[in-house]
Amino acid sequence: MHAVATPAVSLTILVPRTLLPTEGDELVLTSQEQRVGNSTDLFNVFQELAATRAATFVMHHDDVSYDGDLDDDSTLQLLTISPEPESHLPLIEARPAMSHFDWAGVIREVGHAMLNEHFLGTPDELARVFSEAVREVSSIAAAGFKGEAVPLITVKLEEGAAKISFLGIWLADGPSIEEVRRSVPGASWQESTGLGQSSCLLLDAAEVEGRGLKEAVLSAALLAMVFGSATSAQAADPITKPTNSRLASFFGGDSRPGDVLPVKSQKLVQDAPRVYKEVMARQHSDLRIVIVIGQQRAYMLKDGAIAFETPISSGRGARMTKRGTFTITEKVRSGKMSTIYKCPLPGWMRIGEMPIGMHEGELPGYPASHGCVRMPIESAHFIFDNAPKGTTVQIVDNWAPPAAAGHQVIASN
């Protein structure tokens, strides 16, 4: 009787390129010295490779921040991990195939969920909302690749916050899903705080809907695999909001004083516009608009003090809004039309001699325009009414705003 060959086990994962070592790096992993024989062993290797390099989202009930670069982290590369035929030690190989991960779509969906009147903002709910949004985008990113798209994330739940890292997308086959489901017990988000480095959760649609994980139902589509914290040292770190990224904060969280300018024209996912009436009433010798791309926010300053601020959406990709110091050269309150996109541009204020300006437009919470600076119509009219032609407009990457009644602070590039 002939022996039946056992199919070789392997993992195929779309991984953010930023998690992979560079060509000249010497990859040294503890798990590389251990023989691997099943998918769980291979996941241990992958987690050691990826988790310590991954950037982290810090989610609070009204704000999301990130300590990485979403542009860099949006490029995925195919990675395979399998046992070396003779030694059975893990063999890690990067393949040339690539894909794109739409982080803008994830942030948009998370923002919409946070605005829902039934959103509680608990750490477990934050984690579920994030994983659900990542699942939808992962399905698109994995289109054309063989296997079911299963996001791989790490989660640490703390009081008032969820700390989450995206490790990649597992292109799972049926046998591997069954094997991993058998080896990992079902659990809930609340129980995930006790996860260790080599443990994980398998989440299906029922978990996302809040009804708990259905154990041993192998036919249920996986939503995500959620690993525990990478190391105990990392688990002990307190939650902090990263500040070194140019897209560090997506949903404002600004608690400065000032009167909110009501916005009824659209549903905002960013902090609302604010008017500082005491500053607005002052006489001034210098009036300028400062547009801060990293914050997706614009400020009107009188002698260096904030008189008004508003959320914006600037140019994206190749249409990135140009940085520099300009003036408002043209104002058209209504009737201005885009000659290319055939859409109205209410509250039009041309910036310099460029074909871009400040005007009313939809704000998804991230850069989305073709170069112009969008803002709610209420904000566009406020600036239009208070900033004459010739007003200085500075467009900068980052800037630390002064207090509304603070000393003179002029922005610089």
Side-chain angles (χ1 to χ4, degrees):
M1 183 175 178
H2 295 289
V4 178
T6 302
V9 63
S10 67
L11 288 184
T12 305
I13 304 172
L14 287 167
V15 183
R17 291 191 68 185
T18 51
L19 302 190
L20 298 178
T22 60
E23 291 87 344
D25 283 344
E26 186 70 27
L27 184 62
V28 179
L29 302 175
T30 302
S31 52
Q32 278 185 300
E33 305 302 320
Q34 300 173 0
R35 292 163 62 92
V36 292
N38 55 44
S39 296
T40 303
D41 292 340
L42 296 177
F43 271 120
N44 288 339
V45 175
F46 172 71
Q47 190 185 4
E48 185 182 358
L49 167 70
T52 55
R53 293 179 170 88
T56 303
F57 288 89
V58 180
M59 304 182 66
H60 298 263
H61 75 282
D62 62 351
D63 190 35
V64 179
S65 53
Y66 188 59
D67 65 356
D69 188 312
L70 293 185
D71 287 340
D72 292 342
D73 292 341
S74 64
T75 300
L76 307 182
Q77 183 165 357
L78 196 66
L79 184 78
T80 61
I81 306 177
S82 59
E84 201 277 329
E86 294 185 2
S87 66
H88 295 283
L89 295 176
L91 179 64
I92 304 172
E93 297 179 285
R95 305 293 186 179
M98 300 282 189
S99 186
H100 175 79
F101 196 85
D102 180 20
W103 279 115
V106 172
I107 299 304
R108 181 174 60 251
E109 292 304 312
V110 171
H112 289 167
M114 286 181 163
L115 289 171
N116 189 292
E117 60 180 333
H118 301 297
F119 183 73
L120 299 177
T122 59
D124 60 301
E125 186 176 26
L126 289 165
R128 282 201 304 268
V129 164
F130 183 90
S131 63
E132 187 172 19
V134 166
R135 168 63 174 179
E136 295 300 319
V137 173
S138 294
S139 298
I140 298 172
F145 291 91
K146 184 179 179 181
E148 181 181 354
V150 181
L152 305 173
I153 58 179
T154 66
V155 170
K156 181 167 180 60
L157 304 182
E158 298 192 357
E159 185 175 355
K163 198 171 185 178
I164 306 174
S165 296
F166 173 73
L167 305 185
I169 305 170
W170 175 29
L171 302 175
D173 56 35
S176 295
I177 290 176
E178 284 196 34
E179 176 199 329
V180 176
R181 275 195 182 277
R182 285 196 302 268
S183 63
V184 180
S188 69
W189 278 116
Q190 288 84 353
E191 294 168 309
S192 70
T193 52
L195 289 175
Q197 181 173 356
S198 61
S199 59
C200 67
L201 295 171
L202 301 182
L203 303 179
D204 61 19
E207 170 64 20
V208 173
E209 294 167 7
R211 298 196 298 267
L213 185 67
K214 295 179 180 178
E215 295 182 39
V217 181
L218 301 180
S219 61
L222 288 180
L223 171 70
M225 287 188 64
V226 181
F227 296 89
S229 302
T231 65
S232 57
Q234 287 179 326
D237 291 341
I239 284 286
T240 57
K241 291 191 176 184
T243 58
N244 62 329
S245 171
R246 58 193 172 98
L247 290 176
S249 183
F250 301 102
F251 303 120
D254 195 340
S255 59
R256 287 195 302 272
D259 296 317
V260 171
L261 179 69
V263 173
K264 298 180 180 179
S265 59
Q266 59 181 287
K267 194 172 185 178
L268 296 176
V269 299
Q270 295 155 281
D271 193 40
R274 285 195 174 95
V275 181
Y276 299 89
K277 294 181 178 178
E278 188 272 330
V279 180
M280 282 297 301
R282 297 178 189 173
Q283 296 296 318
H284 62 275
S285 58
D286 180 83
L287 177 69
R288 67 183 58 215
I289 309 298
V290 179
I291 297 168
V292 187
I293 303 301
Q295 299 175 17
Q296 288 296 279
R297 205 155 185 86
Y299 301 86
M300 176 186 288
L301 304 182
K302 284 190 171 185
D303 293 330
I306 299 175
F308 175 71
E309 60 177 289
T310 179
I312 63 161
S313 179
S314 60
R316 65 180 178 183
R319 299 288 187 177
M320 184 181 297
T321 303
K322 185 177 180 180
R323 277 58 160 176
T325 300
F326 314 93
T327 59
I328 296 175
T329 56
E330 180 187 37
K331 295 177 64 178
V332 182
R333 188 177 186 88
S334 61
K336 178 75 173 179
M337 293 286 294
S338 168
T339 56
I340 299 176
Y341 301 104
K342 310 301 180 185
C343 62
L345 304 171
W348 169 259
M349 292 166 279
R350 185 184 298 276
I351 299 174
E353 300 302 323
M354 299 182 291
I356 66 169
M358 297 177 282
H359 63 80
E360 184 272 341
E362 288 295 316
L363 274 63
Y366 51 86
S369 81
H370 291 85
C372 286
V373 179
R374 300 179 189 171
M375 57 186 66
I377 187 63
E378 295 85 352
S379 297
H381 283 170
F382 187 95
I383 294 178
F384 191 99
D385 292 339
N386 290 281
K389 285 177 62 176
T391 297
T392 298
V393 178
Q394 289 181 271
I395 305 176
V396 299
D397 284 315
N398 291 292
W399 179 59
H407 300 293
Q408 183 174 4
V409 178
I410 302 300
S412 60
N413 289 302

